Structure formats: structure tokens, C-alpha cells
Amino acid sequence: MSPVLHFYVRPSGHEGAASGHTRRKLQGKLPQLQGVETELCYNVNWTAEALPSAEEMKKLMWLFGCPLLLDDVAQESWLLSGSSDLLLEVGPRLNFSTPTSTNIVSVCHAAGLGPVDRVETTRRYRLSVWL
């Protein structure tokens, strides 16, 4: 079975506004909601027998990052949940490939990353609540 690699993208400035909008919408249904933070996760199906080399990892991190921000992609989540937090991940079903995945795979192949055969993007939410 091929490993699935995860690349987490640190939230940028524009996502603060989106998080605020999401928080306001959710507070109507969940009054104890204190805050919302988000991040993107690129889930990469890697088909090679060996894990990616350092050069391949560098390419993957570059492809998923923002050219204006340094170190905005990591292999560990930026969202650290506490005891009263809820962590949700929202994305496509894993039983079919999305058009976005097809496009990202084409870019990966053009960059010399042939073992990538699927990339699905999910959005992760950390909901902080009062208990």
C-alpha cells in the first residue's frame, strides 16, 4: 500500500477573515465557541517503493507553499489542540479523484515527481470551546 504524505500549510493573513466569518456563523449554533483556526492539508499518495528523497521533499514543499512566505509548509500540523478543542477535517471523499487532484498531479509530474498519483486537499478546523 502506498504511503500518504501530509503537507500542512500555515494559515496566511487572508484566512483570518475567513475564520472570523466561520466563527460568527457557528456561534449562532454553538454559543460556547471561543475561536476558530484553519489550515490546508495536501494529502499526497506516493507510489514509489522508497519515501521521497530530500530533493523530492524540497520540490513538494515548494509546490504546496506560497512563494511570498518562508516556511509556510510543514509535515506536522500547525493546529495544536487543547483538551477543550475540537479538530475537524473537511474534504472530498477518498473513493474518487477530484479534478483539482488531476491538475496538481500534472504539475507534480512536470516537476519530475512521477510517484505522485493523487493529491487531495482538505481544510482542517480547530474549534476552541468553553466547557
Side-chain angles (χ1 to χ4, degrees):
M1 182 172 202
S2 303
V4 176
L5 309 174
H6 304 283
F7 295 91
Y8 301 93
V9 180
R10 181 190 313 238
S12 60
H14 74 279
E15 292 194 4
S19 293
H21 177 72
T22 302
R23 187 186 77 243
R24 286 188 299 278
K25 286 181 73 173
L26 287 174
Q27 277 181 327
K29 307 255 187 231
L30 188 64
Q32 61 269 44
L33 182 67
Q34 187 177 10
V36 176
E37 291 182 90
T38 66
E39 71 183 357
L40 284 178
C41 180
Y42 291 95
N43 303 285
V44 178
N45 192 45
W46 186 260
T47 60
E49 289 185 23
L51 291 175
S53 67
E55 185 63 31
E56 290 168 326
M57 285 300 289
K58 186 176 175 182
K59 283 182 185 180
L60 287 165
M61 301 278 251
W62 180 82
L63 285 171
F64 298 132
C66 175
L68 302 176
L69 300 174
L70 295 177
D71 299 324
D72 64 329
V73 178
Q75 288 188 277
E76 298 291 326
S77 175
W78 302 99
L79 300 178
L80 304 175
S81 60
S83 60
S84 65
D85 293 341
L86 177 63
L87 191 60
L88 300 172
E89 190 161 1
V90 179
R93 290 177 171 241
L94 297 179
N95 60 347
F96 70 93
S97 185
T98 63
T100 301
S101 174
T102 304
N103 290 337
I104 295 172
V105 168
S106 294
V107 170
C108 288
H109 287 183
L113 297 166
V116 174
D117 79 338
R118 187 169 174 200
V119 180
E120 295 298 349
T121 306
T122 57
R123 177 156 311 269
R124 296 166 47 89
Y125 295 90
R126 185 181 78 179
L127 307 176
S128 300
V129 295
W130 290 88
L131 291 180

